[in-house]
């Protein structure tokens, strides 16, 4: 007999509408979404506003500070920093989102299969997961980096391959505990088959975890990509990513701040926006994670 | 407990062997040390290159399995092979590792402790300005990649140096060569060089740990046993400190184990940016040069360290939480 | 001498938006026990926390709480800290979560002593050991060094009491002190609490939902409903002549061990009279109806009841007061006499002629035992169910009773699997589960259904009631349309309106949820329903309605039930036969009236004697059989008779006869017409 107070019994709108309402009620999520929207717009619509393409070289302007002609200035070889930065943003956003979706999907697959099947399948999958955790991910990506010149999707695959393990363990753990929950037991003993139980009773309960994880993975992937590119192991020249731009600008950060500042600032903004959305989603979708009343 | 630790150690051992072997095989199969030799000017004859490579166990004409066998038996005898320059890897690794330790130790420990304190404090002051400040601060730091953070710190330091007219902060290398005569001045110089990179590590560490600790502590705020402690006559603050924080501390150890790998990775960036010649910088340079044995050695050490951290976390968790020790 | 006086105490949660306590006043004298009884959400726990200033952040208390004349409301945390633990102490409900898991219990007791008496570390620790000894913890010096998880529930609760009496407080507030405990353990803890009161002269405020517990310990009671006191007075008076319809309903809805309803005329001799439920469910705090909050559920409500909320007004002498506009003198006439169950599907009256629905023999289930969270390893085998035998025939209810760790639920789950058990045999409707093909097993699932303890856990929170009820039908091949068509029918069967079909489980009351769970179990028209503690998560007033429903359904549909329960009074009301489990074995099996009147096994006797009776004079006279020590580890049961380590009869035997208990594992022997017991020296045979 504890003094807990449940919400009063009132008619409820559908789950989806309710979810949207809760997410939109979270100030951080809204702020993050708006910011992210603006950044997307800038990355994909922005290049059409300026006359310089990222491959162009303006021999008349080398290492020029921002001006009406070159909004973000130019590099020492006369390339337009604005165009380069937006190109880098496109790459970073694309790689980040693809890698996150892939890795979360993989985590969901491995986690539910291992958790629900149990036994040998579980042990084998988890051993593989542990192995990937100790594998030198950095080295694998680094030595394969020359191949990215031809195919950046390979970088996405590699990033995803090294990001899913912790989530898979979480999904597995949740699947196991869901499997023991009484409503799943009840369904089982009512005669409902395993595939149907996973789809109808288990996946809906993992939904919010996966959405949150997927979102936060976007920022992890973006940071990982730009970090690798920073050291020359990610996106390869002549293509550019925010990481490569920052690496080029670092040495001259004090004397030619535009080379460093725009790329770095936009990178931080992207990650911040994604994290805001992720955190907001976590609070909106997973009341247990909040840990306290508001 | 002892028997259990032994078994866990064995399991870890298998993982270390696998990880290290995979790293070697990968590096040996894909890196191109030959290029480093063949493209020297004047261009040496092929036979000489082959001989040099074979001497270093780097010749890609030798089957991979044979090279691996040579390397592995060497490792078993404590010989990690030679670098491209022909120097033994082991002493260099040790030297580099010590540099990394000097950089990492202060930063990680200080960052961990401060992170726990900041997180616990934020949780107790939930939704008040101090909590918001800590939460938002850690959020922004977490969203800033290390290589951006480091540059920002350098820019800030430069401002301070200019404003004061004294070089308070140094950020290139571990010490300024030829700087200062006495041992005291040398120590001072080293400390000067330590401040900025340490700050970079501390900030990230505090951001990560405080978020986690805040979360754990929030779970504990409403715990029944904290209420019981208050019913005994402790004030809320003391009850939270003596019973809440003490209980919420145990799971953090697990978290340290999880993040140790990331700490190493972050350190690599930090070393590189601040020009310290540590393990991380060496790994990056070696990958670029195609120095297989150095790469394999760093990975071996990293794998051992990560798993040792896991073991230490297990032991610490057991020490802090009696439930883990005796079961249930 | 009044030590604690409360005037117009009000508590709100969520920054004033949810009123939990709406103005209560009380006074407790030295050595007096005040029982506060009520159902979930009535504000009794909030009252307890407000008395000690331990309300969570966001909650606010106003009014006056005077402890020995000193006002506590409005004191700062630091000032309150000096009072708490010294002048006013608290015993909480769940001693597992209420003790710091990472500190030895002795240190936690010592801390109380150190804070208030300024004692040194060593002296405080020595005092802690003394206190543990005082509350009857054996081997106190060793136990003081134990961590909470290493102690049993009863032991932990005694640690809590030791902590509470450490500084001879003037008042002890005990919030559901025995709710999380097994029956026999509860009896011991209540004795300790009583002894602590006698030794220290402390006043006790006992907060409980269990009318039996209050009857035995309290001098006066206060019945709470919707955040207010609705009736107060001396415990004997209130229980014998309640004047508020809610109190009357509460007393009538409690299942009783003797099966006799309260206030019944003497000529009522039905062996198993029906319980009288209160319609509806307790209001949600913050959403009270206008007027008297009980009016919507009250059978004798008048229009004026809905106009204004009645105040507590004195009636008669002895400080009795009641918040009801009516003047009720005859409690028996308030609630309508329950309708007898509708005519049953005819079954032969003689058990032997009825067809068996479930036959179990030699059923065994052993679990591997792991210890450690992250450091998991196997350390033994729990013999959860270790060879049990019983059968259930059509139209019959078998109650499976016993305390936690006895193996009741494991046995139920084992039957539910419809697979070959580790050892032994299970046959459902004559079909051996070991020989079933997958298709036959699925077909058989239609006939065997289950209702779990907590409907909130057993109903998928993300599915609507209509989908929940349709699921078993579609799983067995019904078309969606046909299944949807039956939803209304099923809801009506369990007494719910069709308008609930669109709701989610989270938006139903506890009683409604459990009715939905029952409806789901009945969807496939089963022959056997397994009930795992079906009412223990429900409030008393709601529980009676669900129990009656189960009885009606059994009669109407000719069902057979296997009812797993820890509450012997519930089993008394619902079951025809009963099996008592201890450490994985059935120690006694037989017809309910016989077993309850003449228990043959000493464990059954102890269990029955430990049940508190909601009748103060009888409850005070009740002498429960004390079982020494704790339940042995089911991973390491004693050799010979498993009960001998705690058996009072074994302890009284001469060494020659006692040797049999030590060496021979007793087989079930017949001690009556339909009564078996696994004891070498059963009651019926030893005069």
């Amino acid at each position: 007999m504890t003094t807990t107070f449940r919400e009063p019994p009132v008619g409820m709108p559908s789950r989806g509408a309710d979810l949207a309402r809760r997410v939109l009620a979270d100030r951080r999520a809204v702020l993050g979404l708006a910011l992210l929207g603006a950044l997307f717009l800038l990355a994909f619509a922005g290049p059409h506003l300026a006359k310089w393409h990222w491959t162009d070289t303006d021999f008349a302007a080398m290492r020029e500070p921002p001006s009406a002609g070159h909004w973000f200035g130019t590099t020492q070889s006369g390339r337009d920093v604005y165009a380069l930065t937006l190109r880098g943003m496109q790459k970073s956003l694309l790689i980040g989102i693809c890698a996150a979706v892939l890795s979360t999907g993989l985590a969901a697959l491995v986690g539910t299969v291992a958790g629900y099947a149990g036994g040998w399948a579980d042990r084998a999958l988890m051993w593989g997961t542990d192995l990937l955790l100790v594998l030198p991910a950095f080295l694998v990506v680094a030595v394969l980096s020359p191949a990215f010149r031809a195919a950046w999707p390979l970088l996405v695959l590699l990033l995803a391959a090294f990001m899913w393990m912790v989530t898979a363990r979480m999904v597995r753990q949740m699947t196991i505990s869901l499997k023991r929950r009484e409503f799943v037991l009840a369904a089982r003993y009512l005669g409902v088959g395993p595939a149907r139980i996973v789809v109808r009773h288990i996946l809906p309960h993992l939904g919010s975890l996966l959405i949150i994880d997927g979102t936060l993975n976007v920022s992890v992937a973006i940071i990982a990509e730009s970090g690798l590119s920073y050291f020359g192991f990610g996106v390869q020249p002549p293509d550019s990513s925010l990481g490569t731009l920052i690496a080029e600008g670092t040495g001259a950060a004090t004397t030619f701040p535009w080379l460093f500042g725009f790329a770095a600032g936009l990178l931080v903004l992207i990650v911040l926006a994604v994290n805001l959305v992720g955190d907001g989603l976590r609070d909106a979708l997973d009341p247990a994670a909040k840990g306290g009343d508001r | 407990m002892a028997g259990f630790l032994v078994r866990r150690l064995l399991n870890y051992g298998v993982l270390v062997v696998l990880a290290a072997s995979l790293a070697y095989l990968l590096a040996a199969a894909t890196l191109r040390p030959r290029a480093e030799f063949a493209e020297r000017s004047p261009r040496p004859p092929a036979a000489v290159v082959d001989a040099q490579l074979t001497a270093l166990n780097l010749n890609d004409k030798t089957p991979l399995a044979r090279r691996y066998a040579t390397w592995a038996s060497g490792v078993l005898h404590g010989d990690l092979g030679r670098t491209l320059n022909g120097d033994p890897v082991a002493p260099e690794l040790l030297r580099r590792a010590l540099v990394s330790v000097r950089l990492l130790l202060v930063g990680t420990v200080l960052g961990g402790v401060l992170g726990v304190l900041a997180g616990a404090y934020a949780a107790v002051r939930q939704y008040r300005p101090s909590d918001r400040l800590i939460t938002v601060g850690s959020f922004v730091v977490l969203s800033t990649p290390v290589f951006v953070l480091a540059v920002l710190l350098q820019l800030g330091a430069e401002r301070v140096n200019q404003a004061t007219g004294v070089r308070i902060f140094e950020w290139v290398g571990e010490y300024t060569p030829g700087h200062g005569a006495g041992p005291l001045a040398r120590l001072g110089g080293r400390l000067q060089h330590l401040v900025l990179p340490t700050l970079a590590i501390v900030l990230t560490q505090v951001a990560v740990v405080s978020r986690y600790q805040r979360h754990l502590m929030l779970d504990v705020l409403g715990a029944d046993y904290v209420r019981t402690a208050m019913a005994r006559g402790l004030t809320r603050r003391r009850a939270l400190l003596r019973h809440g924080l003490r209980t919420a501390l145990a799971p953090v150890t697990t978290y340290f184990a999880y993040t140790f790998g990331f700490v190493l990775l972050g350190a690599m960036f930090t070393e590189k940016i601040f020009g310290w010649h540590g393990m991380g910088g060496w790994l990056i340079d070696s990958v670029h040069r195609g120095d297989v044995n150095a790469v394999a050695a760093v990975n071996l050490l990293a794998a051992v360290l990560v798993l040792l951290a896991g073991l230490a976390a297990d032991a610490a968790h057991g020490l802090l939480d009696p439930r883990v020790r005796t079961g249930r | 001498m009044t030590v604690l006086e409360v005037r117009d105490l009000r508590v709100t949660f969520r920054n004033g938006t949810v009123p939990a306590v709406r103005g209560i006043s009380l006074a407790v004298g030295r050595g007096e026990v005040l029982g506060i009884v009520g159902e979930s959400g009535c504000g009794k726990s909030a009252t307890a926390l407000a008395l000690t200033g331990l309300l969570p952040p966001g909650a606010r208390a106003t009014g006056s709480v005077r402890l020995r004349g000193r006002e506590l409301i409005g004191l700062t945390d630091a000032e309150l800290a000096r009072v708490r633990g010294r002048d006013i102490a608290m015993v909480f409900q769940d001693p597992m979560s209420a003790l710091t898991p990472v500190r030895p219990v002795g240190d936690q007791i010592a801390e109380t002593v150190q804070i208030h008496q300024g004692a040194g570390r060593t002296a405080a620790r020595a005092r802690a050991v003394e206190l543990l000894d005082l509350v009857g913890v054996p081997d106190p010096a060793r136990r003081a060094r134990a961590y909470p998880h290493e102690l049993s529930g009863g032991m932990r609760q005694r640690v809590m009491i030791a902590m509470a009496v450490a500084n001879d407080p003037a008042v002890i507030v005990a919030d559901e002190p025995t709710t999380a405990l097994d029956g026999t353990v509860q009896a011991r803890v209540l004795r300790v609490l009583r002894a602590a009161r006698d030794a220290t002269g402390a006043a006790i405020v006992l907060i409980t939902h269990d009318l039996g517990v209050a009857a035995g310990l309290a001098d006066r009671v206060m019945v709470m409903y919707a955040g207010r006191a609705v009736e107060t007075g001396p415990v004997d008076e209130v229980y014998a002549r309640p004047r508020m319809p809610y109190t009357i309903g509460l007393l009538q809805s409690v299942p009783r061990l003797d099966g006799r309803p309260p206030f019944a005329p003497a000529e009522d001799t039905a062996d198993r009279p029906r319980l009288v439920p209160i319609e509806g469910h307790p209001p949600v705090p913050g959403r009270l109806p206008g007027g008297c909050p009980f009016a919507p559920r009250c059978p004798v409500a008048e229009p004026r009841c809905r106009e204004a909320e009645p105040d507590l007004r004195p009636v008669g002498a002895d400080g009795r007061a009641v918040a009801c506009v009516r003047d009720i003198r005859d409690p028996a006439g308030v609630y309508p006499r329950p309708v007898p169950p509708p005519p049953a599907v005819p079954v032969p009256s003689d058990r032997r002629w009825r067809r068996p629905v479930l036959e179990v023999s030699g059923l065994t289930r052993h679990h591997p035992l792991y210890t450690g969270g992250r450091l998991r390893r196997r350390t033994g085998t729990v013999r959860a169910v270790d060879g049990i035998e019983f059968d259930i025939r059509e139209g019959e209810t078998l109650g499976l009773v016993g305390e936690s760790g006895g193996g009741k639920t494991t046995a139920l789950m084992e039957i539910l699997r419809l697979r070959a058990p580790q050892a032994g045999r299970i046959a459902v409707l004559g079909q051996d589960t070991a020989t079933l093909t997958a298709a036959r097993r699925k077909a058989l699932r239609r006939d065997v259904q289950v209702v779990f303890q907590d409907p909130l856990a057993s109903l998928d929170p993300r599915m609507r009631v209509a989908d929940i009820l349709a699921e078993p039908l579609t799983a067995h091949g019904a078309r969606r349309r046909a299944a949807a068509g039956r939803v209304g029918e099923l809801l009506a069967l369990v007494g719910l309106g069709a308008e609930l079909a669109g709701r989610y489980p989270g938006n139903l009351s506890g009683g409604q949820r459990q009715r939905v769970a029952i409806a789901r179990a009945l969807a496939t028209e089963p022959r056997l329903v397994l009930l795992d503690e079906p009412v223990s998560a429900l409030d008393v007033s709601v529980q009676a309605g669900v129990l009656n429903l189960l009885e009606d359904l059994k009669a109407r549909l000719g069902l057979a039930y296997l009812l797993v329960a820890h509450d012997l009074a519930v089993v008394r009301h619902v079951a025809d036969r009963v099996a008592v489990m201890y450490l994985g074995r059935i120690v006694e099996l037989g017809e309910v009236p016989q077993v309850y009147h003449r228990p043959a096994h000493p464990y059954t006797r102890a269990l029955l004697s430990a049940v508190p009776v909601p009748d103060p004079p009888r409850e005070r006279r009740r002498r429960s059989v004390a079982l020494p020590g704790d339940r042995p580890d089911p991973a390491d049961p004693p050799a010979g008779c498993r009960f001998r380590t705690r058996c009072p009869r074994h302890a009284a035997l001469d060494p020659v006869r006692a040797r049999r208990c030590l060496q021979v594992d007793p087989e079930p022997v017949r001690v009556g017409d339909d009564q078996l017991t696994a004891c070498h020296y059963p009651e019926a045979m030893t005069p």
Side-chain angles (χ1 to χ4, degrees), chain B residues 217-235:
Chain B
M217 194 71 188
L218 281 181
D219 286 346
V220 161
L221 280 188
D224 287 355
Y225 54 81
V226 170
R227 199 172 60 183
T228 310
M230 286 171 69
R232 278 204 284 276
L234 290 176
T235 55

Side-chain angles (χ1 to χ4, degrees), chain C residues 330-404:
Chain C
D330 173 25
V334 171
Y335 285 81
R337 304 281 290 168
V339 200
V345 173
V347 284
S349 57
D350 190 334
R351 181 162 200 272
R352 280 169 300 180
W353 297 106
R354 281 185 261 150
R355 282 208 313 149
V357 179
L358 173 71
E359 295 156 283
V360 171
S361 62
L363 177 62
T364 301
R365 173 75 202 189
H366 294 177
H367 302 293
L369 177 69
Y370 296 103
T371 55
R374 271 165 62 73
L375 316 187
R376 241 164 92 89
R377 65 211 137 117
R378 186 173 174 161
T379 51
T381 301
V382 179
R383 305 158 88 85
V385 174
D386 207 16
I388 60 170
E389 177 159 353
F390 64 84
D391 67 343
I392 299 178
R393 302 194 176 218
E394 53 186 350
E396 178 177 277
T397 302
L398 175 74
L400 201 54
V401 301
E403 295 177 305
S404 57

